[in-house]
Amino acid sequence: MRQFVADLHVHSVLSPCAEVEMTPRNIVWHAARHGIDIVAITDHNACDNVTAALAAAKGTNVIILPGMEVETKEEVHIIVLFEKMRQLKAWEQFVYEHMSGRLNDEKRFGAQFVVDAEDELIRVKPEMLLTSLSCSMAEVCTKVNDLGGICIASHVDRPANSLIAQLGFIPPDVELAAVEISRLIRPQEAIRRFPTIGNLPIVTSSDAHTIADFLSGPKTIFNIEAPTLHEIQQALKGQNSRKVVIQ
Amino acid sequence: MIIQEMVDILQAEVVAGATKVDNVINGGYASDLLSNVMSQAKTGDIWVTMHAHQNIVAVASLLGLSAVIIAGHVQPDKEAINKADAEEIPLLTTALSVFEVVGLLYSKGVKGV
């Protein structure tokens, strides 16, 4: 068993609100030099840069977890994570079926770049990503769990797009693996201020949109055997001596 | 004023909790953030929202609201309807926007404070 430092919520240059420095290659390069073992690339309602991140991480000690930050029809943000890229591709299909049909306005919301592992521009994603899908939170969690992934409610302490702000408390028909808190709050304070989190495990991530955010933002340490989603799931459940430690 | 009197004025349909359309409206509140509603709305208020998630029923029941009106042609989930029937919370839907609903309520003397 060893400790792995994980950041399970990082935006790449595909997210319109992220800086252009957030290329998969640059994220991996900084992770490798700063001892960040596990990085989930979680762009808003899209995952086109995960393949480049996986390629960029080849030959390094950094493990990329395929992921996405989904916005449900209740305007709740959920981090979804998968073990394998093919599971994420199946999830992406579901996302496409629930998109608004609106196109991004680059000037107002920011550009959405799809790049390769060498920072070369492949294309600009036209669909508007910074908006809600037409599926509910319960539908998202059911589908993700069916595909073998996990759901983590994003930044539940924040006023915007958080499960607690939007819906007041965690609905009974929603299966979450954890809740994420932002850099603005400590776990003990989060439990006190948001008692409706209940007994769900707490993780903390950078939610980085810049490299500075990525390096300075909070991480979660997992005591696990190997850097896999399966091991992280066991740590979140406290199974087989696996553990979550918040940094 | 009771909920039943507002149904016609708001061109609304009672989709759940019809047993309680004689609930008295004490005041009104409009918000789509349930955490905010929980801290600000008062017992007897009619709540105007575009949320249609089942948690709206739990919030309405918790606070003792007189009804929830879901504006803008949004239809509540099946779970929300079942729960509102069980908890006897009137759920109203209307094609009118939140703005129009609040304006009509206000013009009929329903105030926010």
Side-chain angles (χ1 to χ4, degrees):
Chain A
M1 204 83 70
R2 62 159 273 210
Q3 292 200 329
F4 289 87
V5 175
D7 193 337
L8 301 181
H9 185 169
V10 178
H11 291 272
S12 86
V13 71
L14 176 59
S15 292
C17 39
E19 293 297 323
V20 286
E21 65 190 15
M22 296 302 276
T23 63
R25 191 179 74 125
N26 206 26
I27 293 168
V28 168
W29 190 89
H30 281 89
R33 270 148 198 82
H34 291 84
I36 306 167
D37 304 299
I38 302 171
V39 177
I41 302 293
T42 54
D43 288 306
H44 293 290
N45 291 345
C47 57
D48 306 64
N49 280 343
V50 175
T51 308
L54 289 165
K58 278 226 173 81
T60 74
N61 292 328
V62 178
I63 297 295
I64 298 294
L65 283 184
M68 189 185 290
E69 184 173 34
V70 179
E71 183 170 335
T72 73
K73 80 173 181 192
E74 301 92 352
E75 301 189 353
V76 171
H77 284 191
I78 307 277
I79 296 293
V80 309
L81 301 174
F82 296 96
E83 194 88 78
K84 299 288 182 198
M85 192 61 205
R86 62 181 155 74
Q87 294 169 301
L88 182 62
K89 293 301 281 183
W91 167 251
E92 183 188 34
Q93 195 52 48
F94 183 86
V95 169
Y96 273 121
E97 288 161 14
H98 293 87
M99 276 193 159
S100 66
R102 284 192 291 277
L103 297 178
N104 186 40
D105 182 333
E106 219 171 87
K107 284 206 184 71
R108 293 190 171 85
F109 296 99
Q112 303 175 162
F113 296 126
V114 179
V115 297
D116 67 15
E118 274 79 46
D119 293 355
E120 292 298 327
L121 179 67
I122 296 175
R123 64 193 183 95
V124 175
K125 195 164 173 94
E127 295 88 356
M128 183 185 238
L129 301 180
L130 218 57
T131 190
S132 59
L133 300 176
S134 62
C135 44
S136 71
M137 204 179 134
E139 288 170 316
V140 167
C141 292
T142 302
K143 182 71 181 177
V144 168
N145 292 330
D146 284 353
L147 288 169
I150 66 169
C151 294
I152 299 174
S154 301
H155 41 65
V156 294
D157 56 299
R158 295 214 0 234
N161 299 118
S162 103
L163 165 59
I164 303 292
Q166 298 295 130
L167 292 179
F169 56 92
I170 298 164
D173 56 353
V174 163
E175 194 189 327
L176 295 170
V179 296
E180 175 202 273
I181 57 172
S182 78
R183 65 181 72 206
L184 304 174
I185 195 168
R186 301 293 306 158
Q188 285 314 316
E189 193 191 346
I191 292 166
R192 198 169 60 245
R193 275 182 51 203
F194 308 103
T196 53
I197 292 172
N199 293 322
L200 278 173
I202 293 176
V203 297
T204 178
S205 317
S206 70
D207 190 4
H209 290 72
T210 66
I211 290 294
D213 281 353
F214 179 48
L215 298 182
S216 69
K219 312 282 182 284
T220 301
I221 297 172
F222 292 99
N223 283 0
I224 47 183
E225 284 288 347
T228 66
L229 188 67
H230 181 62
E231 285 281 328
I232 288 174
Q233 279 177 286
Q234 293 180 62
L236 291 170
K237 290 179 178 161
Q239 291 172 340
N240 305 321
S241 315
R242 273 73 169 166
K243 270 196 319 209
V244 182
V245 186
I246 296 216
Q247 200 169 33
Chain B
M1 181 170 309
I2 64 168
I3 296 297
Q4 184 61 57
E5 293 171 73
M6 290 312 298
V7 172
D8 287 342
I9 294 165
L10 299 174
Q11 303 160 38
E13 187 186 343
V14 181
V15 294
T19 50
K20 293 289 179 180
V21 290
D22 55 353
N23 276 354
V24 175
I25 304 171
N26 290 342
Y29 198 75
S31 174
D32 293 327
L33 293 171
L34 273 62
S35 51
N36 166 261
V37 175
M38 284 196 282
S39 66
Q40 297 299 323
K42 292 183 288 295
T43 302
D45 278 356
I46 182 167
W47 170 24
V48 188
T49 182
M50 285 188 69
H51 249 304
H53 190 274
Q54 58 166 312
N55 275 18
I56 62 174
V57 179
V59 170
S61 171
L62 177 77
L63 297 173
L65 303 184
S66 53
V68 183
I69 178 146
I70 305 168
H73 235 309
V74 174
Q75 295 303 314
D77 305 343
K78 185 168 80 294
E79 292 80 10
I81 291 175
N82 293 342
K83 209 166 167 184
D85 277 331
E87 305 256 342
E88 297 191 296
I89 300 290
L91 275 192
L92 280 58
T93 59
T94 178
L96 298 177
S97 71
V98 169
F99 191 89
E100 288 295 319
V101 170
V102 172
L104 285 166
L105 286 168
Y106 216 89
S107 73
K108 298 296 171 188
V110 178
K111 297 290 156 66
V113 284

